[in-house]
Amino acid sequence: MISLDLPLPIIAREYLKETPCGIMEFGNKKIITLPTVFPPDINTLELAKVTSKLVRQFLETNHQCRVFEMGIGTGGAILSVAQLPGVVASGADISPMAVLNAQANALWWETKCDIYHSDLFDNVPSSEFDIIVWNIPWLSENPGDIEDIRFKAGFDPDYQSLQKFLSEVNSRLAIGGSILLAVENNFCSLNTIYNLIDKTDFQREIFEEIPVVWQEMNLDLIFIRLTHK
């Protein structure tokens, strides 16, 4: 058990050094989690539910919804959404192991989803999406010893990747589409995130806020919806 008396960046680093793996519970399903892949035990299930809610709202007035998840990890969120009627799903991850992990779960769940190995949109074929989802790396600090790719799931020093994402995503979002960013009130620098968003052509709103307990810590999960101004 990681000591909760440590600073949050250290808690996150120590957790990511040796994350749990194997066959894990995921709602009413089971999911494969490979070594070094961010496990779906913090907010992935909630992300799946909130994204599904947003998708259902979109499908009330549209016959199809193209959903893309950045940073798919095990694939738990996007594969859950992909099972909804009318959804065309795809996703990407910078980690080759995560790509393999999500592909394995897609086969196991018999769910269609295009999965790409990519740093943000670099290797994603040119196309537009109706909903783009990202459980962003929460921490903007660099406590050291986070060079391995596994730490990119939790750390984005100075939110450089988020800034790049916000500069590129406009060309990938269809007219009338939404971006859903999953953050957390304690681990994230929310004011910094909001300031970065406010410099773009998007308007923001809190779409959903969900309290959960993880590792005996009370977390406040926040799902920020971005739309064109």
Side-chain angles (χ1 to χ4, degrees):
M1 178 69 70
I2 302 171
S3 172
L4 300 183
D5 295 328
L6 295 170
L8 291 180
I10 305 301
I11 292 175
R13 186 188 66 189
E14 295 308 303
Y15 175 74
L16 289 170
K17 277 184 177 178
E18 194 169 349
T19 51
C21 59
I23 305 297
M24 304 177 69
E25 300 291 332
F26 186 73
N28 61 357
K29 294 180 177 292
K30 292 186 182 295
I31 193 167
I32 300 166
T33 304
L34 297 179
T36 74
V37 177
F38 194 77
D41 65 344
I42 302 179
N43 72 335
T44 306
L45 187 60
E46 286 75 18
L47 178 60
K49 292 177 180 177
V50 175
T51 304
S52 296
K53 176 181 176 181
L54 187 58
V55 167
R56 289 190 179 97
Q57 288 182 5
F58 185 86
L59 288 172
E60 288 177 0
T61 54
N62 299 271
H63 73 281
Q64 177 181 276
C65 185
R66 299 162 295 177
V67 186
F68 179 89
E69 182 182 10
M70 188 66 71
I72 51 177
T74 61
I78 190 63
L79 295 178
S80 297
V81 174
Q83 296 177 340
L84 295 174
V87 168
V88 177
S90 57
D93 205 292
I94 193 173
S95 164
M97 186 69 83
V99 171
L100 178 64
N101 199 155
Q103 290 171 335
N105 282 316
L107 287 171
W108 192 18
W109 289 10
E110 298 181 339
T111 301
K112 180 173 174 51
C113 181
D114 294 324
I115 299 169
Y116 305 100
H117 177 218
S118 181
D119 182 358
L120 299 179
F121 291 107
D122 288 355
N123 295 326
V124 178
S126 296
S127 55
E128 291 186 336
F129 306 101
D130 302 301
I131 295 176
I132 298 173
V133 182
W134 191 16
N135 178 24
I136 73 168
W138 288 352
L139 290 131
S140 62
E141 297 89 349
N142 184 348
D145 194 24
I146 58 168
E147 289 74 27
D148 191 90
I149 198 168
R150 75 182 70 182
F151 296 102
K152 289 186 177 295
F155 290 91
D156 180 13
D158 298 321
Y159 288 134
Q160 292 179 2
S161 291
L162 176 59
Q163 293 181 61
K164 183 182 178 185
F165 172 86
L166 291 172
S167 70
E168 296 177 348
V169 70
N170 192 44
S171 64
R172 298 298 189 124
L173 188 65
I175 296 174
S178 300
I179 300 164
L180 192 67
L181 300 179
V183 300
E184 198 282 326
N185 190 44
N186 300 294
F187 281 91
C188 291
S189 302
L190 284 181
N191 286 336
T192 301
I193 293 171
Y194 289 152
N195 286 336
L196 292 174
I197 294 170
D198 292 343
K199 293 177 182 178
T200 70
D201 292 327
F202 297 109
Q203 57 188 1
R204 58 179 168 90
E205 65 171 333
I206 294 179
F207 184 72
E208 197 88 32
E209 192 166 357
I210 304 173
V212 299
V213 177
W214 174 76
Q215 298 279 325
E216 300 182 1
M217 297 178 62
N218 293 315
L219 302 183
D220 183 19
L221 306 180
I222 300 173
F223 298 89
I224 307 168
R225 180 186 184 187
L226 309 184
T227 53
H228 288 117
K229 290 180 180 177

